[in-house]
Amino acid sequence: MDEHDMLLSPAGVEALRTALSRAAYTSNGIADRLGPQATGGIARNDFRAALRATADRDPLATLIRVFICDQTEPEAAVAAALAPLTVAEALAGGLVERHGDGLRAGVDLEPYADDWWVLADLPVSSRPGRPLHSEHVLGIGGATQTLIGAAVRRPVETALDLGTGSGVQALHLATHARRVTATDVSERALRFAATTAALNGQDWELLRGDLVAPVAGRRFDLVVSNPPFVVGPGTTTHVYRDSGRVGDAIGAELAAAAPGLLTEGGTMQYLANWVHVTGEDWGERVAGWFAGTGLDAWVVQREVADPMAYVNLWLTDVGEAADPHRAAAWLDWFDAHKVEAVGFGIVSLRRGGHADPVVRVEDLRQRVEPPMGERIAAWFDRQDWLRARGADGVLDARYRAAEGLQLRQEATMGDEGWAVDRQVLAMPHGLRWTEEIDPLVLALVGGADGRLPLRDQLALLAAAHDVAPEELAEAAGPIVAHLVERGIVEPVSD
Ligand SMILES: C[S@@+](CC[C@H](N)C(=O)[O-])C[C@H]1O[C@@H](n2cnc3c(N)ncnc32)[C@H](O)[C@@H]1O
């Protein structure tokens, strides 16, 4: 870690850690101090109750006022709250800054999870009018949390966080990886990450460089990345957002790098944007990223934005929403490249060593029951099961419907009573898939009580409907495999 500076000296970080621990400036400590009403207000950026509850300015109160409620506080109170860290060192490290006749936050110092702290830059909304640093270090936002939730948290030997920023992904990796490596192109980001690591008593290998360059030739069991995935003409104004690559090329570049980064059986997960181009199937475009990699791939599209909303979102993110020229130039680029929408999602890749890798790119816009990471791990487990069984083995297995599986019907009243128009299976848990099915599949799922092999179930159905059992098996096998893949029916082990 020593090769990267921190925001404070090692002794300064230790002093800060002492101050924060002593004051109980942790998520739980703050919640206990403020109570549910004020804590709830903070989540909505309404600090009134929190300010009333911290009027006596003891160390915890002052830390809450400065770093959570963004107040300017008297220097003596801040000095008492940060001691044994001196105000001079806190100022030099940018932790606090002078404002009027007091001190206020210079960074985002967030208590995080049970007893961690994450250091990042303040968001643009905290200092309106102040331009964001070109190497702005991102705090814990929506995309960050999406990747935290999506990461497969199984024990591994080695893990890599590409584009670590504040270091928050690496903090999580250290809970289930024996060794953590984190990289970033920005020296400034690495300073924040090194400080976050030391503040939490963790030890990661930190490397500087462009994407996978700093780890060339090395392999990891798990790689996660929340890269600068924003799509556009390839200009870089803010490194946390802009990769310098044109369009959605960074998503393809990470896919191409994955086989060389992963150990056998290793997993790589990253967030990406991809363009929806007029006349082109977005799914095929994204699937094309994995052609020839030999990796199993599951890509889920979680959101889709139209160009105007997309550009506004990302200009607002850096405080440039009011600049019509910036928006126009970006939208012109979208027009010129026939981009009609931008998709956002999670890419999960696995080096399975199979000659016939599974590549699935699909919409998954519904709300998913967390933790997403377990759902993703289970998806790859189900792929393993399907592959090991083969088409014949799928027919020989016995199945049970997913817990709580629901049937939803739409029907129209006619002269002869209700005529069913649509039947949809709906999973109330997990990935919450809904799947339209025909009456035959409905009968199969309805009869899936774990007792009869699918082949026997199909023979009964074939006899009842007077069709050849082999024909029915040929048609039903892939459908059942699809239902297994989605977890709508589950194999029953012998
Ligand atoms: C969206 S931020 C993610 C930060 C953090 N990992 C998280 O999940 O909140 C992207 C990070 O990638 C870094 N980055 C940008 N371009 C990069 C590149 N070409 N190679 C490595 N890191 C890069 C940025 O400095 C930034 O810290």
Side-chain angles (χ1 to χ4, degrees):
M1 190 94 67
D2 343 323
E3 65 268 34
H4 286 286
D5 291 344
M6 297 190 285
L7 298 176
L8 303 168
S9 67
V13 175
E14 205 39 55
L16 178 61
R17 185 178 154 88
T18 302
L20 300 180
S21 307
R22 196 184 280 165
Y25 182 69
T26 59
S27 305
N28 290 336
I30 293 168
D32 286 350
R33 169 65 188 260
L34 295 182
Q37 194 209 346
T39 308
I42 285 173
R44 298 187 301 274
N45 275 343
D46 173 5
F47 301 130
R48 290 170 302 162
L51 290 174
R52 280 195 298 274
T54 53
D56 52 4
R57 295 191 174 74
D58 56 77
L60 178 56
T62 301
L63 291 170
I64 293 171
R65 293 174 78 89
V66 170
F67 290 109
I68 293 179
C69 305
D70 202 14
Q71 299 296 296
T72 299
E73 294 294 308
E75 182 163 341
V78 176
L82 291 177
L85 182 70
T86 64
V87 165
E89 195 172 0
L91 279 167
L95 253 55
V96 292
E97 61 185 24
R98 293 204 181 280
H99 185 241
D101 54 6
L103 295 170
R104 67 177 179 180
V107 294
D108 187 5
L109 174 51
E110 283 196 55
Y112 175 65
D114 286 345
D115 54 1
W116 284 336
W117 300 281
V118 173
L119 275 156
D121 273 315
L122 292 166
V124 71
S125 54
S126 296
R127 298 286 176 268
R130 184 192 282 185
L132 275 198
H133 195 289
S134 63
E135 292 184 32
H136 176 78
V137 177
L138 191 66
I140 300 170
T144 301
Q145 282 171 335
T146 297
L147 183 62
I148 290 168
V152 172
R153 305 264 172 228
R154 290 183 175 168
V156 290
E157 192 62 30
T158 53
L160 169 66
D161 174 18
L162 276 177
T164 193
S166 67
V168 63
Q169 306 291 344
L171 272 181
H172 282 275
L173 290 177
T175 62
H176 59 110
R178 282 165 66 92
R179 276 172 290 140
V180 175
T181 302
T183 71
D184 208 292
V185 77
S186 155
E187 189 62 56
R188 186 166 188 274
L190 287 170
R191 257 201 316 278
F192 276 76
T195 315
T196 295
L199 196 53
N200 293 286
Q202 294 195 3
D203 186 15
W204 320 323
E205 178 188 28
L206 285 169
L207 302 171
R208 181 176 181 207
D210 181 30
L211 283 193
V212 298
V215 289
R218 291 175 58 185
R219 292 182 185 277
F220 299 86
D221 302 325
L222 177 63
V223 180
V224 299
S225 185
N226 172 10
F229 52 71
V230 174
V231 302
T235 41
T236 300
T237 60
H238 296 89
V239 76
Y240 83 90
R241 181 191 72 172
D242 311 317
S243 67
R245 276 80 170 164
V246 177
D248 52 16
I250 190 160
E253 192 174 329
L254 286 171
L261 268 185
L262 294 177
T263 54
E264 200 60 49
T267 301
M268 173 155 169
Q269 299 183 277
Y270 60 95
L271 303 181
N273 268 161
W274 39 80
V275 290
H276 290 214
V277 176
T278 309
E280 186 184 274
D281 181 321
W282 71 268
E284 281 176 22
R285 175 191 185 84
V286 174
W289 294 354
F290 315 107
T293 61
L295 302 175
D296 293 322
W298 187 32
V299 180
V300 291
Q301 177 167 267
R302 301 289 286 148
E303 290 166 26
V304 178
D306 65 69
M308 179 62 96
Y310 185 81
V311 166
N312 272 335
L313 169 78
W314 287 108
L315 287 179
T316 304
D317 212 52
V318 295
E320 290 176 354
D323 183 347
H325 301 294
R326 289 273 301 130
W330 204 336
L331 289 166
D332 280 349
W333 184 88
F334 279 149
D335 285 349
H337 293 82
K338 299 193 170 65
V339 174
E340 51 192 33
V342 181
F344 165 80
I346 306 162
V347 176
S348 297
L349 306 175
R350 193 186 50 171
R351 187 164 166 222
H354 303 290
D356 56 341
V358 180
V359 175
R360 206 73 81 224
V361 180
E362 58 197 353
D363 247 323
L364 192 145
R365 308 252 208 120
Q366 64 269 26
R367 228 166 25 90
V368 167
E369 190 180 21
M372 183 67 176
E374 275 178 29
R375 317 268 169 238
I376 292 174
W379 188 91
F380 282 100
D381 290 345
R382 293 196 293 272
Q383 293 298 347
D384 287 343
W385 185 88
L386 287 166
R387 184 182 272 120
R389 282 270 162 168
D392 248 14
V394 165
L395 293 172
D396 292 333
R398 293 174 289 126
Y399 299 91
R400 190 174 288 133
E403 197 198 329
L405 188 65
Q406 296 169 349
L407 171 65
R408 296 178 189 157
Q409 282 191 332
E410 281 173 26
T412 307
M413 179 58 87
D415 292 342
E416 302 187 359
W418 291 112
V420 175
D421 302 319
R422 275 178 92 225
Q423 310 200 88
V424 176
L425 290 176
M427 289 173 68
H429 302 297
L431 293 171
R432 298 201 172 106
W433 287 116
T434 53
E435 191 84 37
E436 189 168 348
I437 50 162
D438 63 25
L440 198 86
V441 179
L442 181 62
L444 271 182
V445 174
D449 57 5
R451 281 192 291 219
L452 222 51
L454 177 62
R455 202 184 286 284
D456 297 353
Q457 255 194 297
L458 286 167
L460 292 174
L461 275 175
H465 290 82
D466 204 15
V467 291
E470 312 76 55
E471 255 175 55
L472 196 57
E474 199 173 324
I479 296 172
V480 172
H482 172 74
L483 296 179
V484 170
E485 174 175 315
R486 292 200 156 181
I488 294 173
V489 295
E490 295 161 358
V492 176
S493 48
D494 298 318

